[in-house]
């Protein structure tokens, strides 16, 4: 790294990939920083740089001491050890030690006290929630949500007709599995342990899967306008059942809420759907198969006057980006579920779904939201007045919600960073009267679709936190541009 590159980097300030420290004297503190980077995609730690981005510099003795401290912290105070790379960059003020921490392949990384740290903005935080720990183990390939046993289920909960139809179609009645009991079949196919169904077995072949996993459904709403906080709606349905039943129900919901166009066909024919069915099928299947099943939330399907949005729980895994998946790159988050669902749903696998949808209908936006732990697909309808490339959602949404953002809600939005509890929000806003906070700040922001709960299915949970929605983030970003 050259001095020019160093100065340009630090001038941009700290973020989740770049951390500045004037000095370091404690191996445990340094280990926590290294573990947080390794657990969060990697990053760079700059020693000899002040918090305000000014260069402090280090002398030769300090550099030697820090390298010894770093080696000790990386090998003895992080479990498993991490392997950072260092570079000493000389400046007029002294040497800056640039430490590159690669994305860890053996997550989660722990400090000496057994704590797991991850980056949150320019700071770090201690991971405590079970769901987040499960996702970290999932990214490491140590556990997959789709093969976790579902307590209380048994063979009696299997839809015999659905399973038999699938099995005979795929393997034939006279196959290597002939003569095995149903329990043995499910176990050999990776759908159970011989006693209980796992999640893949439940959502593919279970009768009423929502009895055990009520959040694993599709919540669908059709709005007459273009904003989420509209109190009116044209159609609404909670779509339950197996994945095949959810797919069929969700697709039927879309079809009855979109227009059909003739395209030269006879007046008496139904006509073609305004958005190619192939694109919608691929996107729906992808949302159902590749969602994060460690997150207890529903797939959301929203039809607006100008677009269709499909929101999946769980942001893109590992280092995948929207650009990667648009080119066909894929990482199987639920390998067992994917293997069987590819023979039940219209799914071809190999990362071809998103590219095929884009080829059929290029006006699709892919939006990854790591802080909100969700992934959204926005399919723009042809009736939208722009007809060309879809405009940024920011321009539309911000104009339509600005009038509803009171000074109190504005303060809340500008204070909310990452995920925060109600108590944390009250504290940062300096508000002690709970009813006033709820009535003037929290509820208006929720009703306007500017913030959302992290556990929407349990609104009164003691673990409940709040975060900005995509709309809320765009409002804050636009306010920043205007100041």
């Amino acid at each position: 790294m050259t001095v020019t590159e160093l100065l340009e980097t630090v001038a941009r300030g700290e973020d989740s990939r770049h951390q500045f420290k004037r000095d370091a004297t404690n191996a445990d503190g340094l280990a926590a920083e290294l573990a947080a980077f390794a657990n969060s995609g990697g990053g760079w730690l700059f020693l000899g740089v002040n918090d305000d981005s000014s260069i402090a510099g280090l002398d030769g003795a300090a550099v030697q001491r820090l390298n010894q401290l770093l080696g000790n912290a990386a090998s003895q105070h992080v479990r498993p050890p991490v392997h950072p790379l260092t570079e000493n960059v000389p400046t007029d003020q002294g040497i800056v030690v640039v430490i590159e921490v690669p994305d860890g392949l053996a997550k989660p990384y722990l400090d000496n006290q057994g704590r797991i740290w991850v980056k949150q903005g320019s700071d770090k935080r201690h991971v405590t929630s079970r769901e987040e720990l499960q996702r970290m183990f999932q990214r490491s390939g140590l556990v997959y949500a789709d093969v976790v046993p579902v307590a209380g289920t048994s063979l009696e909960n299997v839809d015999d007709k659905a399973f038999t139809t699938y099995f005979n179609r795929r393997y034939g009645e006279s196959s290597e599995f002939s003569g095995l009991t149903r329990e043995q079949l499910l176990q050999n196919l990776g759908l159970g342990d011989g006693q209980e169904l796992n999640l893949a077995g439940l959502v593919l072949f279970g009768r009423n899967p929502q009895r055990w996993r009520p959040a694993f459904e599709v919540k669908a709403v059709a709005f007459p306008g273009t904003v989420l906080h509209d109190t009116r709606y044209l159609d609404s349905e909670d779509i339950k059942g197996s994945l095949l039943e959810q797919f069929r129900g969700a697709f039927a919901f879309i079809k009855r809420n979109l227009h059909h166009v003739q395209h030269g066909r006879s007046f008496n024919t139904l006509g073609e759907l305004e958005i190619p069915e192939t694109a919608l099928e691929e996107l729906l299947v992808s949302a159902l198969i590749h969602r994060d099943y460690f997150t207890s939330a529903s797939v959301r399907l929203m039809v607006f006057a100008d677009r269709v949005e499909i929101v999946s729980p769980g942001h893109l895994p590992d280092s995948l980006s929207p650009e990667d998946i648009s080119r066909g790159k894929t990482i199987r988050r639920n390998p067992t579920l994917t293997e069987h669902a590819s023979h039940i749903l219209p799914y071809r696998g190999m990362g071809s779904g998103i590219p095929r949808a884009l080829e059929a209908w290029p006006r699709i936006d892919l939006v990854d939201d790591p802080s909100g732990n969700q992934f959204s697909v926005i399919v723009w309808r042809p009736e939208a007045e722009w007809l060309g490339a879809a405009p940024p959602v920011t321009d539309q949404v911000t104009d339509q919600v600005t009038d509803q953002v009171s000074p109190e809600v504005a303060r809340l939005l500008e204070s909310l960073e990452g995920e925060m509890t109600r108590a944390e929000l009250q504290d940062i806003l300096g508000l002690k009267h709970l009813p006033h906070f709820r009535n003037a700040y929290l509820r208006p922001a929720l009703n306007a679709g500017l913030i959302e709960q992290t556990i929407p299915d349990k609104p009164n949970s003691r673990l409940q936190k709040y975060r900005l929605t995509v709309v809320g983030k765009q409002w804050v970003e636009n306010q920043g541009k205007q100041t």
Side-chain angles (χ1 to χ4, degrees):
M1 178 178 289
T2 66
V3 176
T4 300
E5 291 172 335
L6 171 67
L7 295 177
E8 289 177 349
T9 300
V10 300
R12 291 193 291 267
E14 293 182 307
D15 55 29
S16 60
R17 291 286 182 267
H18 303 86
Q19 183 78 32
F20 306 154
K21 284 188 176 296
R22 170 65 181 86
D23 199 352
T25 57
N26 182 273
D28 284 333
L30 188 56
E33 299 291 350
L34 298 176
F37 275 128
N39 285 327
S40 308
W44 289 263
L45 179 62
F46 296 79
L47 301 180
V49 179
N50 295 314
D51 290 341
D52 62 2
S53 299
S54 63
I55 304 296
L58 302 162
D59 59 25
V63 171
Q64 184 177 3
R65 172 180 56 81
L66 286 170
N67 275 301
Q68 292 175 343
L69 183 70
L70 175 65
N72 184 34
S75 61
Q76 303 297 324
H77 293 251
V78 180
R79 295 176 291 164
V82 295
H83 305 284
L85 302 174
T86 64
E87 183 178 0
N88 299 332
V89 181
T91 72
D92 292 340
Q93 292 77 24
I95 296 174
V96 173
V97 179
V98 181
I99 304 169
E100 181 181 358
V101 185
D103 183 25
L105 299 177
K107 302 181 186 72
Y109 291 85
L110 295 78
D111 66 11
N112 254 358
Q113 285 73 47
R115 296 172 297 187
I116 299 173
W117 298 91
V118 294
K119 295 296 291 183
Q120 180 167 313
S122 60
D123 205 348
K124 64 182 183 299
R125 62 178 174 84
H126 183 201
V127 175
T128 57
S129 76
R130 184 180 67 178
E131 286 187 347
E132 191 168 7
L133 288 172
Q134 288 173 325
R135 287 195 295 271
M136 295 187 74
F137 281 111
Q138 183 183 47
R139 290 196 295 269
S140 301
L142 300 176
V143 64
Y144 292 100
D146 58 338
V147 293
V148 173
V150 181
T153 60
S154 68
L155 179 65
E156 295 179 357
N157 304 121
V158 175
D159 184 329
D160 287 328
K161 181 178 179 181
F163 179 77
T164 301
T165 299
Y166 164 72
F167 182 84
N168 290 341
R169 184 176 67 247
R170 183 174 181 188
Y171 298 104
E173 296 186 39
S174 57
S175 70
E176 58 180 299
F177 297 109
S178 59
L180 297 180
T181 65
R182 182 59 53 86
E183 290 92 337
Q184 291 171 326
L185 283 177
L186 290 168
Q187 189 170 8
N188 288 352
L189 295 177
L191 299 171
D193 60 6
Q195 296 180 342
E196 296 175 321
L197 298 175
N198 59 28
L199 185 66
L202 178 67
V203 299
L204 289 173
F205 303 112
R207 291 197 302 266
N208 187 22
Q210 286 71 37
R211 173 184 172 188
W212 291 272
R213 295 294 183 267
F216 296 164
E217 62 181 7
V218 178
K219 290 186 174 293
V221 182
F223 297 94
T226 60
V227 293
L228 181 63
H229 63 271
D230 199 330
T231 57
R232 304 164 298 159
Y233 62 90
L234 301 173
D235 194 0
S236 176
E237 182 180 0
D238 289 345
I239 304 168
K240 305 177 185 293
S242 67
L243 284 195
L244 179 59
E245 291 168 330
Q246 290 183 48
F247 167 76
R248 288 172 173 169
F251 195 59
F253 183 91
I254 292 177
K255 291 179 70 173
R256 71 174 180 256
N257 284 289
L258 291 185
H259 298 158
H260 290 75
V261 291
Q262 296 307 116
H263 286 313
R265 294 188 176 191
S266 166
F267 179 77
N268 293 321
T269 62
L270 179 61
E272 297 177 1
L273 205 61
E274 61 180 273
I275 298 171
E277 294 189 11
T278 299
L280 295 168
E281 282 184 353
E282 297 285 359
L283 298 174
L284 270 177
V285 169
S286 181
L288 292 169
I289 290 180
H290 298 305
R291 60 152 294 170
D292 182 356
Y293 280 99
F294 277 133
T295 299
S296 184
S298 305
V299 172
R300 287 180 289 158
L301 168 61
M302 293 163 284
V303 180
F304 296 93
D306 59 350
R307 67 194 187 278
V308 176
E309 289 192 28
I310 304 172
V311 182
S312 304
H315 66 89
L316 294 178
D318 293 334
S319 57
L320 273 185
S321 68
E323 292 73 24
D324 290 332
I325 62 172
S326 67
R327 294 193 296 267
K329 185 177 179 181
T330 183
I331 294 176
R332 285 191 174 188
R333 198 193 318 251
N334 305 300
T336 300
L337 178 62
T338 302
E339 164 65 19
H340 294 290
S342 63
H343 298 273
I344 299 172
L345 300 173
Y347 174 76
R348 298 170 181 83
M350 301 179 66
S352 61
I354 297 296
R356 189 177 294 107
L358 287 168
E359 181 179 0
W361 190 253
R363 281 170 279 174
I364 298 174
D365 291 342
L366 309 174
V367 183
D368 191 32
D369 183 8
S371 63
N373 191 36
Q374 63 183 25
F375 178 77
S376 303
V377 175
I378 303 174
V379 188
W380 295 97
R381 299 176 62 176
E383 286 81 3
E385 61 186 17
W386 41 84
L387 289 177
V393 181
T394 304
D395 295 342
Q396 290 186 57
V397 176
T398 303
D399 291 343
Q400 295 173 10
V401 302
T402 296
D403 292 341
Q404 300 191 32
V405 178
S406 65
E408 291 83 1
V409 170
R411 283 189 62 206
L412 175 64
L413 299 180
E414 291 165 354
S415 301
L416 183 54
E417 295 184 1
E419 297 178 355
M420 300 176 68
T421 64
R422 187 265 308 158
E424 288 171 337
L425 283 168
Q426 271 191 257
D427 183 61
I428 199 171
L429 291 167
L431 300 171
K432 296 183 179 180
H433 189 57
L434 179 56
H436 173 64
F437 170 71
R438 282 178 173 164
N439 294 330
Y441 291 79
L442 195 60
R443 286 174 181 165
L446 285 167
N447 293 338
L450 296 164
I451 67 171
E452 62 186 359
Q453 296 175 324
T454 57
I455 314 176
D457 298 311
K458 298 179 181 179
N460 297 319
S461 170
R462 63 181 180 83
L463 302 176
Q464 188 67 262
K465 293 184 178 181
Y466 300 88
R467 63 192 174 209
L468 294 172
T469 63
V470 173
V471 177
K473 290 177 181 177
Q474 291 162 346
W475 186 89
V476 171
E477 181 181 342
N478 269 20
Q479 293 302 111
K481 291 178 181 179
Q482 295 172 16
T483 58

